[in-house]
Amino acid sequence: MDEKLNEKELAVELLETKQFSKLKLLLAEMNSADIAEFLSELSYETLLLAFRILPKDQAADIFVEMDSDGQEMLIRSFSDNELKAVMDDLFVDDAVDILEEMPANVVKRILRFTDPEMRRWINEILKYPEDSAGSIMTVEYVRLKKNMTVDDAIKHIRNTGPDKETIYTCYVTDLNNKLIGMVSAKDLLLSNPGDIIEDIMETNVIYFHTLEDKENVANAFDKYGFMAIPVVDDETRLLGIVTFDDAIEVLQDEATEDIEKMAAIIPSEKTYLKTGVFETWKQRIPWLLLLMVSAAFTGKIISTFEGALASCVILTAFIPMLMDTAGNSGGQTSVTIIRSLSLGDIEMKDIFRIMWKEFRVALVCGVTLGIVNFAKMMIFDSSAIASDGQSAVLVSLVVSVTLVVTIVFAKIVASILPIGAKKIGFDPAVMASPFITTIVDALALLVYFNIAKAFLGI
Amino acid sequence: MDEKLNEKELAVELLETKQFSKLKLLLAEMNSADIAEFLSELSYETLLLAFRILPKDQAADIFVEMDSDGQEMLIRSFSDNELKAVMDDLFVDDAVDILEEMPANVVKRILRFTDPEMRRWINEILKYPEDSAGSIMTVEYVRLKKNMTVDDAIKHIRNTGPDKETIYTCYVTDLNNKLIGMVSAKDLLLSNPGDIIEDIMETNVIYFHTLEDKENVANAFDKYGFMAIPVVDDETRLLGIVTFDDAIEVLQDEATEDIEKMAAIIPSEKTYLKTGVFETWKQRIPWLLLLMVSAAFTGKIISTFEGALASCVILTAFIPMLMDTAGNSGGQTSVTIIRSLSLGDIEMKDIFRIMWKEFRVALVCGVTLGIVNFAKMMIFDSSAIASDGQSAVLVSLVVSVTLVVTIVFAKIVASILPIGAKKIGFDPAVMASPFITTIVDALALLVYFNIAKAFLGI
């Protein structure tokens, strides 16, 4: 998509050289998301200037695509009329997303310039918990009645369509606004004008409750390939719909969050380059601290076996390899389990199947590594071990057996912890490698030193 | 979505108790994706039986949703007519997905029962490289001519619509089949029947080349929120379209793959529970072996400093903490960089900005941890250190300074490696924590022992 890149650079150049009429023409050709990107690269001074050159009808679309810093800055410098114009063109769910990022005083100003109807909806949606289906739903959807004809329905869409986020899935409700069916625009176009909605509607509609976790709603899009999913209250009254583009965003964000948590980072909504040094520090330091302190236990274990170590210092040389391998083995398992959990591929009830599988995998992996390590040590390390006054065979055996045992421990622990965490309503993702590593390190050392004592009698 | 779960259990029960008429009714009510899930839990014996009870018109949709094992088993036991019926109802892109999973002899049989037109398309698409836009595109889209009226267009859709994967984005091509514009079904419904397509079509269409990486195409859906994106050849002739549901699948798969690679696992297409012990072993053992062997270097470093260690065994007690902290710090950085790269948030050109940022973050993190560690050691470890005949202050200082230096090293290395990997056309994701850990461990130890020598003169 290089031509898009050039478009952006050209736009910047036209702005700097004040060729506004040319810029206007170019912007009219560009896609809102690309214009938003172009704007996000501008200094705050030129930003407002550029925004005023934009085709009015696109202004809101572009505004939605911008990052919250840019949005806040614009809102602060908008004239009342400009603000009102943008707000009038926003969809409720987008307006909510924007509001959630803004400081109180900006929120106040925005709400002052949104018409009462929209303000009511915004407040409705703001009531729902942050990660709920309700918080990402839009209320601008097409609602049909079961006794309409296809022709009525199409007329209805023609009249109300322009303000709807999607017209492709229409929902049929009864007099109490209960959700009773669904009709796609495709069905409408392919049926006869005289057909009655009730006869062509799909009655087995998959819907979610407003308080459902938005991640589950997003996963349903992945599973069913729907374009939109309705959101209802306890009486299955239709309150709004979630559209596929919002679902994609949720899925991407959730994946990123999981990845960050797995890497012992506290997730942030901002992109990497937008996050300041101090913010990044705040995301990373808590886990580093916790893990460093807990690593003290591994230290304690070593110092308790100091005597043994002193009498056989060569053992120390294999501590890093043992710890890393145990950590990596555990990490592999925990990460697989965590991802499978959030994709819904595995559930609590599978825990024993999982443990049994991980046990066998661990055994095969452990034995493989054990053999390779034994050979490697006999070939490369025997002289060093001998010079330390120990039997190469015994020491190699100690290290190899430790490998097998710790890998089995590591993979079992790593499969139980995430599932256990979910069970007690804890986030599985934070149970990933770094956390596992610390636990597994301690296990590895305990196993190592005890086996060493038994075999070498130190 | 509990009612869905119950539906599945009920279906299983009805099947076991041979209440086929009831089952037929239930299945008619269920969603294809849920039916596919129900089928996937059946034994191969009952699977075919259940499949034959399905509403014929849904059979293909359900077949598409099943996992490849189930599909293969069904195809093998299908009668020629059953196979033909299913193939006739498949979309080309789905047929291709299925074929790619099947053994040669099954593929032969399938192709024998697909009509020539479809077979031609299948072979077309199979030509494209595995990760290309061409390989995931569908050829069943609506094509309009610029001189059509809106009324013509709608008629055209009514006639050809049923066989199209989407009718909501229609593409306008010239006589040479060059892509010249795009019209949404919404535009068509909201315009006047007499309007000419050329006048209402969007001419600034975002498209991709058949050989574009499918991940980039999928990211464009995330960025623009499109429902479909056209795929063209070198002469911008329209060859097919990618739809949002395929994009969601790609995004999810890519995220999972990245996560697996970051955890030193070789990605597989199968879900966790579907992967056998041996397969899982094959996914995990290569990296474990490589990392174990490379960890030998850390061991070598320790044995070279064995003398120094023997004279101050207490230093050994802090090796695990130093290695883990370095590994975690590096992991945080590499994982963040890798995810940002695949989301397109950062690019090669940002490398110096990134290094500069990571350097500052590392410094703040390092100093924080250094101070905490110094305090912790002075309070809890000084006696142990003293009993080892060393100055608690000096040893604590050595460990804390090592922390700062290694964290800076770790985060710089962890920010360069993934970007460097991408630069040389290597997969950044495999540069993640486990790999970084091994490198960073060695660094940590080198720094540790040299600082120890300098401060403690051992």
Side-chain angles (χ1 to χ4, degrees):
Chain A
M1 312 271 303
D2 299 309
E3 72 277 6
K4 297 277 144 224
L5 249 148
N6 303 341
E7 261 183 353
K8 255 185 289 167
E9 282 153 15
L10 179 57
V12 176
E13 191 188 314
L14 290 175
L15 184 66
E16 284 165 348
T17 53
K18 302 211 168 14
Q19 307 182 48
F20 299 126
S21 49
K22 273 208 188 122
L23 179 58
K24 213 178 163 94
L25 290 174
L26 174 63
L27 292 175
E29 274 306 294
M30 282 170 70
N31 178 291
S32 348
D34 294 315
I35 297 180
E37 257 182 24
F38 149 69
L39 293 177
S40 70
E41 287 161 17
L42 299 180
S43 72
Y44 281 170
E45 298 66 45
T46 45
L47 177 53
L48 184 64
L49 172 64
F51 193 84
R52 289 190 164 135
I53 299 176
L54 296 177
K56 287 282 152 288
D57 58 326
Q58 254 182 299
D61 304 355
I62 295 161
F63 187 76
V64 169
E65 301 279 350
M66 293 175 61
D67 58 72
S68 47
D69 301 2
Q71 289 170 334
E72 179 175 348
M73 184 275 157
L74 275 177
I75 294 171
R76 289 184 183 282
S77 34
F78 273 159
S79 74
D80 296 356
N81 292 339
E82 283 173 319
L83 182 54
K84 181 139 189 27
V86 170
M87 289 311 295
D88 288 344
D89 287 357
L90 285 183
F91 285 119
V92 171
D93 58 338
D94 295 329
V96 169
D97 293 346
I98 293 167
L99 282 170
E100 281 170 335
E101 297 300 317
M102 297 297 146
N105 56 340
V106 178
V107 172
K108 268 226 202 66
R109 175 150 192 255
I110 296 176
L111 289 177
R112 200 164 73 248
F113 291 104
T114 46
D115 61 77
E117 158 99 49
M118 184 164 188
R119 203 181 308 125
R120 222 189 68 250
W121 280 120
I122 291 176
N123 292 325
E124 262 315 304
I125 292 178
L126 282 172
K127 278 206 209 84
Y128 296 108
E130 206 201 312
D131 286 337
S132 67
S135 71
I136 57 166
M137 72 185 184
T138 174
V139 295
E140 286 130 326
Y141 55 88
V142 178
R143 185 194 305 258
L144 302 176
K145 297 278 162 241
K146 65 175 190 220
N147 51 6
M148 284 179 163
T149 64
V150 166
D151 198 40
D152 299 335
I154 292 181
K155 284 208 182 67
H156 178 71
I157 292 175
R158 290 178 63 97
N159 299 332
T160 61
D163 312 327
K164 305 305 184 187
E165 192 157 336
T166 180
I167 65 163
Y168 298 135
T169 356
C170 310
Y171 298 92
V172 187
T173 54
D174 66 12
L175 297 172
N176 309 321
N177 192 23
K178 275 197 185 6
L179 177 66
I180 55 175
M182 183 186 89
V183 183
S184 73
K186 188 173 182 177
D187 302 332
L188 291 175
L189 278 171
L190 301 184
S191 331
N192 305 315
D195 295 348
I196 303 300
I197 294 299
E198 186 171 19
D199 305 332
I200 63 165
M201 72 184 182
E202 165 67 60
T203 53
N204 171 40
V205 184
I206 287 171
Y207 55 79
F208 282 96
H209 186 276
T210 45
L211 297 181
E212 180 75 43
D213 183 330
K214 68 181 182 188
E215 198 172 351
N216 299 338
V217 182
N219 284 334
F221 279 86
D222 181 18
K223 180 180 171 189
Y224 298 107
F226 291 151
M227 230 164 356
I229 292 183
V231 181
V232 302
D233 67 9
D234 299 323
E235 281 80 37
T236 67
R237 280 188 298 246
L238 184 57
L239 293 182
I241 66 171
V242 175
T243 47
F244 73 94
D245 48 330
D246 299 319
I248 290 180
E249 231 180 279
V250 171
L251 290 171
Q252 289 286 74
D253 294 349
E254 296 292 346
T256 308
E257 266 186 33
D258 279 359
I259 289 173
E260 289 177 326
K261 287 178 194 153
M262 290 185 203
I265 302 168
I266 296 168
S268 99
E269 306 235 310
K270 289 192 181 171
T271 61
Y272 177 76
L273 290 174
K274 290 261 167 206
T275 328
V277 170
F278 180 65
E279 284 171 281
T280 313
W281 174 82
K282 276 198 301 186
Q283 284 179 269
R284 296 181 184 179
I285 198 67
W287 274 103
L288 286 181
L289 270 173
L290 183 66
L291 294 168
M292 178 181 80
V293 173
S294 42
F297 294 107
T298 17
K300 273 270 157 291
I301 296 172
I302 291 186
S303 29
T304 34
F305 288 89
E306 219 179 273
L309 273 178
S311 70
C312 179
V313 185
I314 187 77
L315 288 179
T316 325
F318 304 103
I319 290 180
M321 184 276 284
L322 285 170
M323 281 182 6
D324 287 348
T325 311
N328 293 333
S329 313
Q332 288 182 322
T333 301
S334 58
V335 164
T336 312
I337 301 293
I338 292 162
R339 181 62 177 169
S340 305
L341 276 174
S342 54
L343 288 177
D345 292 340
I346 61 177
E347 296 159 39
M348 230 71 75
K349 65 172 171 57
D350 302 315
I351 185 159
F352 294 110
R353 263 177 84 186
I354 293 168
M355 283 171 63
W356 170 231
K357 177 182 168 179
E358 285 300 325
F359 171 75
R360 288 173 297 164
V361 175
L363 216 55
V364 216
C365 287
V367 171
T368 323
L369 295 176
I371 295 170
V372 174
N373 173 70
F374 186 83
K376 176 247 168 198
M377 283 179 69
M378 289 307 290
I379 298 166
F380 297 105
D381 307 323
S382 39
S383 55
I385 301 171
S387 67
D388 205 58
Q390 298 289 342
S391 139
V393 183
L394 275 183
V395 174
S396 312
L397 210 59
V398 168
V399 178
S400 305
V401 173
T402 309
L403 261 177
V404 183
V405 180
T406 43
I407 289 171
V408 173
F409 272 149
K411 285 197 177 289
I412 295 291
V413 171
S415 54
I416 298 172
L417 280 186
I419 302 180
K422 181 153 193 181
K423 180 93 192 153
I424 60 174
F426 213 73
D427 186 339
V430 298
M431 287 294 160
S433 7
F435 191 80
I436 302 276
T437 308
T438 330
I439 298 171
V440 165
D441 283 351
L443 283 172
L445 289 173
L446 282 175
V447 176
Y448 187 35
F449 292 134
N450 285 304
I451 293 182
K453 275 181 143 179
F455 280 53
L456 308 172
I458 48 180
Chain B
M1 311 274 299
D2 298 310
E3 72 277 6
K4 297 280 144 219
L5 251 149
N6 303 341
E7 261 182 351
K8 252 184 291 164
E9 281 152 13
L10 179 58
V12 175
E13 191 188 317
L14 290 174
L15 185 65
E16 282 163 348
T17 53
K18 302 211 168 16
Q19 306 182 50
F20 299 126
S21 47
K22 274 208 188 122
L23 179 59
K24 212 178 163 90
L25 290 174
L26 173 63
L27 292 175
E29 273 306 294
M30 283 172 67
N31 178 292
S32 350
D34 294 313
I35 299 180
E37 256 182 24
F38 149 69
L39 293 177
S40 70
E41 286 161 16
L42 299 181
S43 71
Y44 281 171
E45 297 66 43
T46 45
L47 177 54
L48 184 64
L49 172 63
F51 194 84
R52 290 193 164 134
I53 298 175
L54 296 176
K56 287 283 152 292
D57 58 327
Q58 255 183 297
D61 304 356
I62 295 161
F63 187 77
V64 169
E65 301 280 349
M66 294 174 61
D67 58 71
S68 48
D69 301 0
Q71 289 170 334
E72 179 176 348
M73 184 274 158
L74 275 178
I75 294 172
R76 289 183 184 282
S77 35
F78 273 160
S79 75
D80 295 356
N81 291 337
E82 283 173 321
L83 182 54
K84 181 140 193 24
V86 169
M87 289 312 295
D88 288 346
D89 287 357
L90 287 181
F91 285 120
V92 172
D93 58 339
D94 295 329
V96 169
D97 293 346
I98 293 166
L99 281 170
E100 282 171 333
E101 297 300 317
M102 296 298 143
N105 57 337
V106 178
V107 171
K108 268 225 200 68
R109 174 147 193 256
I110 296 177
L111 288 178
R112 203 166 69 245
F113 291 102
T114 47
D115 62 75
E117 158 96 52
M118 183 160 188
R119 204 180 309 127
R120 223 190 67 249
W121 280 121
I122 290 176
N123 292 324
E124 260 318 301
I125 291 179
L126 282 171
K127 279 206 210 83
Y128 296 109
E130 205 201 314
D131 287 337
S132 67
S135 71
I136 58 166
M137 72 185 185
T138 175
V139 293
E140 287 131 325
Y141 54 89
V142 178
R143 185 196 302 259
L144 302 175
K145 296 277 160 241
K146 65 177 191 216
N147 49 7
M148 285 178 162
T149 65
V150 167
D151 197 40
D152 300 334
I154 292 180
K155 284 210 185 69
H156 178 70
I157 292 174
R158 290 178 64 98
N159 298 334
T160 60
D163 312 326
K164 305 305 184 186
E165 194 158 333
T166 181
I167 64 162
Y168 298 134
T169 357
C170 310
Y171 298 92
V172 188
T173 54
D174 67 11
L175 298 173
N176 310 321
N177 192 22
K178 275 197 187 356
L179 176 66
I180 55 174
M182 183 185 87
V183 182
S184 74
K186 188 172 182 177
D187 301 332
L188 291 174
L189 279 171
L190 302 183
S191 327
N192 306 315
D195 295 348
I196 304 300
I197 294 299
E198 186 172 20
D199 305 332
I200 63 166
M201 72 184 183
E202 164 66 63
T203 53
N204 172 39
V205 184
I206 286 172
Y207 55 79
F208 282 97
H209 187 275
T210 45
L211 296 181
E212 180 75 45
D213 184 332
K214 67 180 182 189
E215 200 173 347
N216 299 339
V217 181
N219 284 334
F221 280 85
D222 182 18
K223 179 178 172 189
Y224 299 108
F226 292 150
M227 232 170 345
I229 291 184
V231 181
V232 302
D233 67 10
D234 300 324
E235 281 81 39
T236 67
R237 280 188 297 249
L238 184 57
L239 294 181
I241 66 171
V242 176
T243 48
F244 74 92
D245 49 329
D246 300 319
I248 290 180
E249 229 179 281
V250 172
L251 290 172
Q252 289 286 75
D253 293 349
E254 298 290 349
T256 308
E257 267 184 34
D258 279 359
I259 289 173
E260 290 178 324
K261 288 178 195 151
M262 290 184 203
I265 302 168
I266 296 167
S268 99
E269 307 232 311
K270 289 193 182 167
T271 62
Y272 176 75
L273 291 175
K274 289 265 168 202
T275 327
V277 170
F278 179 65
E279 282 172 282
T280 312
W281 173 82
K282 276 197 302 187
Q283 283 181 272
R284 296 181 184 178
I285 198 67
W287 274 105
L288 286 181
L289 271 172
L290 183 67
L291 294 168
M292 178 181 80
V293 173
S294 43
F297 294 107
T298 18
K300 275 269 157 293
I301 297 174
I302 292 188
S303 28
T304 33
F305 287 88
E306 218 180 276
L309 274 178
S311 70
C312 179
V313 185
I314 186 76
L315 286 179
T316 326
F318 304 103
I319 291 179
M321 184 276 284
L322 285 171
M323 280 182 9
D324 286 349
T325 310
N328 293 333
S329 314
Q332 288 181 324
T333 300
S334 58
V335 164
T336 311
I337 301 294
I338 291 162
R339 181 62 178 169
S340 307
L341 276 173
S342 54
L343 288 177
D345 291 340
I346 60 175
E347 296 159 41
M348 228 72 73
K349 65 172 171 53
D350 302 316
I351 185 158
F352 294 109
R353 263 178 85 187
I354 294 167
M355 283 172 62
W356 172 231
K357 177 180 167 181
E358 285 300 325
F359 172 74
R360 288 173 297 163
V361 175
L363 216 55
V364 215
C365 287
V367 171
T368 323
L369 295 176
I371 294 169
V372 174
N373 175 71
F374 187 81
K376 175 248 167 197
M377 283 179 70
M378 289 306 292
I379 299 166
F380 298 106
D381 307 324
S382 39
S383 57
I385 300 172
S387 67
D388 207 59
Q390 299 288 343
S391 140
V393 183
L394 274 184
V395 174
S396 310
L397 210 59
V398 169
V399 178
S400 303
V401 173
T402 309
L403 262 177
V404 183
V405 181
T406 43
I407 289 172
V408 172
F409 272 150
K411 285 196 176 290
I412 295 291
V413 172
S415 55
I416 298 173
L417 280 186
I419 301 180
K422 179 150 193 182
K423 179 94 191 148
I424 59 173
F426 212 74
D427 186 339
V430 299
M431 288 294 160
S433 10
F435 192 81
I436 302 275
T437 307
T438 328
I439 298 171
V440 165
D441 283 351
L443 284 173
L445 289 173
L446 282 174
V447 175
Y448 187 36
F449 293 134
N450 285 305
I451 293 182
K453 275 181 142 176
F455 280 54
L456 309 172
I458 52 180

